[in-house]
Amino acid sequence: MQMTRQWQTDAIGAEANLRIGEARIPEVSGTMIRVRTQAVSLNFRDRLVLESGMGLPLQFPFVPASDMAGVVEAVGPHVRRFKPGDLVISTFSPDWIDGRGPGTARTPPYQTRGGFYPGVLSEHAVLSEEWFTLAPKTLDAAEASTLPCAGLTAWFALIECGKLKAGDKVLVQGTGGVALFGLQIAKAHGAEVFITSGSAEKLERAQALGADHLINRHEGDWVERLHQLTGDYGADHVLEIVGGPHLGQALKAVAVNGRISVIGVFEGFEVSAPVAPLLLKAPVVQGITVGHRRALEDLVRAVDQTGLKPVIDRRYAFAELPQALDHLYRGPFGKVVIEF
């Protein structure tokens, strides 16, 4: 019987309960593939799940995290999409291949990796080939592991749903993983990018990635500054990553008939905003729940075509998961990755 090491917890309550354990590696059959994990990218959501469970039916021992890249070691006799040696990445919502998402009005879906389904912080995984897609040829495993959630969220907001075009004005809030992907994807499509941050040093680093306009939110009213920079036009696309009552600021910033993609929950799970700009500007306000596999495949092709390189703030070793989770609270510039 082959065994694999994995990070796991037996109860909700942050990393205090985390430990490295072992699990049996299942046999490969049918349309299953065995993947040897090389890198796992962490998201702030991973901390929320560990600390609160987020109301999800976690199965214990629970393996956290949703985003990985690894090499296919073996394939079942009916596998058609992959072969041994392929570098693959996980899909965040394995049941969502394309089109309308699963679920109903009464029960919206949240059947994702690292929550409803077990996570990816394991040295090996044996799962259906439908749960993976090929990684970009131009990225290493750590870089590729950042695409399934952060990369796809920005892509789904701006390209799949937002139909971004050259010359559009895009407002990006902060310098975390989704924000920097938004910046890079927008620039690759010829957009004009405005980025906010409370750190002058991070704004300089964002400028090096191609940001056109830097707005320090500690130096006055950032919405007023955006209005000045755009001649009162505002932003065609707003990546609303803060959440809570901050939606009101996004409504002030968005252009008439623009688009706000609601992504983050840093300031709370209950959003609020004044109704006047919502009615008078008539923007599209769209919730973004990452995206489907077909869009991830589109993103992979775009990465190879454009040469986009995900921004990794720091790479940690497998045994350093607690330190990597702490790094998420310090506000990384880009992504935090665990390498195996």
Side-chain angles (χ1 to χ4, degrees), residues 141-225:
E143 293 166 335
S145 75
T146 68
L147 297 184
C149 187
L152 181 56
T153 295
W155 178 270
F156 210 73
L158 291 173
I159 308 303
E160 181 72 22
C161 297
K163 311 301 181 188
L164 181 74
K165 60 184 184 299
D168 281 356
K169 302 180 190 305
V170 177
L171 173 66
V172 175
Q173 299 171 4
T175 54
V178 175
L180 292 188
F181 269 114
L183 162 60
Q184 292 175 288
I185 291 167
K187 290 304 297 180
H189 286 77
E192 183 180 6
V193 178
F194 303 75
I195 189 164
T196 68
S197 174
S199 166
E201 183 265 337
K202 288 181 178 179
L203 285 172
E204 288 182 10
R205 295 172 70 182
Q207 187 174 37
L209 289 172
D212 298 288
H213 305 280
L214 314 177
I215 303 175
N216 192 322
R217 54 184 171 81
H218 291 326
E219 297 177 356
D221 185 335
W222 68 264
V223 175
E224 177 60 28
R225 182 59 181 151

Side-chain angles (χ1 to χ4, degrees), residues 28-181:
V28 178
S29 61
T31 60
M32 310 292 276
I33 63 174
R34 186 174 74 239
V35 179
R36 176 172 51 84
T37 307
Q38 292 188 322
V40 168
S41 171
L42 298 180
N43 299 291
F44 194 77
R45 166 189 178 267
D46 298 327
R47 283 211 64 142
L48 295 178
V49 171
L50 287 170
E51 291 169 357
S52 69
M54 292 182 67
L56 298 168
L58 306 186
Q59 300 177 34
F60 297 104
F62 173 70
V63 179
S66 61
D67 300 2
M68 58 79 72
V71 174
V72 177
E73 288 188 328
V75 301
H78 304 303
V79 168
R80 297 293 178 264
R81 300 178 62 236
F82 304 109
K83 64 183 184 305
D86 284 343
L87 180 64
V88 296
I89 54 178
S90 56
T91 53
F92 183 71
S93 302
D95 305 312
W96 192 13
I97 305 301
D98 199 353
R100 183 190 293 269
T104 66
R106 183 188 298 275
T107 310
Y110 199 56
Q111 296 182 354
T112 59
R113 303 288 288 272
F116 182 88
Y117 294 118
V120 298
L121 268 166
S122 177
E123 290 179 329
H124 296 84
V126 177
L127 295 164
S128 167
E129 64 173 337
E130 302 297 335
W131 286 36
F132 298 91
T133 189
L134 285 171
K137 296 180 176 62
T138 53
L139 301 184
D140 65 23
E143 293 166 335
S145 75
T146 68
L147 297 184
C149 187
L152 181 56
T153 295
W155 178 270
F156 210 73
L158 291 173
I159 308 303
E160 181 72 22
C161 297
K163 311 301 181 188
L164 181 74
K165 60 184 184 299
D168 281 356
K169 302 180 190 305
V170 177
L171 173 66
V172 175
Q173 299 171 4
T175 54
V178 175
L180 292 188
F181 269 114

Side-chain angles (χ1 to χ4, degrees), residues 5 8 87 92 103 108 134 185 196 208 269 298 300 305 334:
R5 292 193 309 160
Q8 60 189 46
L87 180 64
F92 183 71
L134 285 171
I185 291 167
T196 68
F269 287 88
D298 290 347
V300 167
Q305 182 66 32

